[in-house]
Structures are given as structure tokens and as C-alpha cells.
Amino acid sequence: MYQAFLPHEYRYDLSEPKFQTAFDFLRREDLGRLPEGWLELEHGVRASVQRYVTSPAAELDFETHEKYFDVQYMVDGMEQVGIADARDLVNKIPYDPENDIAFFHDPEASGAALLRAGDFVVLSPQDAHKPRCAAGAPMAVNKIVVKVPV
């Protein structure tokens, strides 16, 4: 059977040490006090501490990454993250291997995850996602995106 059609639970092992590094980091009690920027962890895992104001979804694009999973964790605030199968999207900005990102036009149909303080979502390379979307009125958020190598 072709692996791309297997459900995620059969495709990836979230109990691998690299994922445990990510989840252990997100259990820290000082997440809200960490300065913005990148933190290097073990097993090639990196964490980006971000503070920004969410934007209307129409102003943002879907994105994918080839080299990393995203574990997006909301420390404070709330945002909507659009989610779609990358196979269903039309490329807008080609893949940039240096920054591990490609951008896409909105699909006809997509799903979304609402992230509130304490919530997280794990996004694989096949999961196109549109982060930073306002859930209602734009608001300031504190979010950590943990990059886990594929």
C-alpha cells in the first residue's frame, strides 16, 4: 500500500524521541516568559517563540513545509488555523528550500482548528495550514511553533 494514503497514526510515530523532546518542552511552566526568537532543542528540534496580532484569514495564505512537522502551541490568546490536504492546493509561491516553506491559494474547501491557551495542533508535511487567523476580532497572541524534523 502506498504510504501517502495511510492515516497519520500509521505514517508517523509520535512517540519517537524527537516528538518527546517537543512535547517535553511544551510542558515547561515558563513558556509565557520566554523571549521571542528561536531555541535549539535536542534531536534537531527547534522552537520559535512568537508574539503577534492575528489577522483576517483573507489576508493570509496556506503554507507547507517539507523538512519539518509543526507543533503549534497557543500560550496566550486565541487563533484559527486553517487546515487542508496539500495535494488539493494550487501553488502561489514555490517551495523555498532555505526557509522550508511554500505558499498556496485557498482551496474551495478546508477545515480549521481553533487554538486557545493550552491547545496545540501537530501538522505534518502533508497538512497545508494557514496560521495566524483571527478567531473573531484580531487579538494579540503568544504562540510557540516547535519544528520537528521529518
Side-chain angles (χ1 to χ4, degrees), residues 126-139:
Q126 293 80 24
D127 299 322
H129 50 285
K130 183 194 277 197
R132 299 179 173 234
C133 298
M139 71 167 39

Side-chain angles (χ1 to χ4, degrees), residues 19-38:
F19 284 105
Q20 290 311 303
T21 295
F23 298 133
D24 287 346
F25 174 79
L26 293 174
R27 288 186 187 99
R28 290 175 53 157
E29 293 185 17
D30 66 342
L31 294 176
R33 295 185 303 276
L34 293 174
E36 284 185 87
W38 286 98

Side-chain angles (χ1 to χ4, degrees), residues 46-99:
R46 310 169 67 208
S48 174
V49 178
Q50 306 174 1
R51 291 184 181 86
Y52 54 85
V53 175
T54 59
S55 299
E59 297 176 6
L60 302 167
D61 294 318
F62 276 87
E63 62 187 57
T64 60
H65 313 287
E66 293 183 10
K67 299 176 188 172
Y68 292 92
F69 292 84
D70 271 6
V71 180
Q72 298 197 7
Y73 178 83
M74 187 61 61
V75 178
D76 290 308
M78 180 173 63
E79 81 175 36
Q80 194 92 358
V81 178
I83 301 172
D85 188 321
R87 295 175 297 182
D88 298 334
L89 301 182
V90 176
N91 194 263
K92 183 174 184 178
I93 299 175
Y95 178 71
D96 174 357
E98 185 175 322
N99 293 307

Side-chain angles (χ1 to χ4, degrees), residues 114-129:
L114 177 64
L115 296 183
R116 297 178 185 186
D119 292 344
F120 71 93
V121 61
V122 178
L123 300 159
S124 77
Q126 293 80 24
D127 299 322
H129 50 285

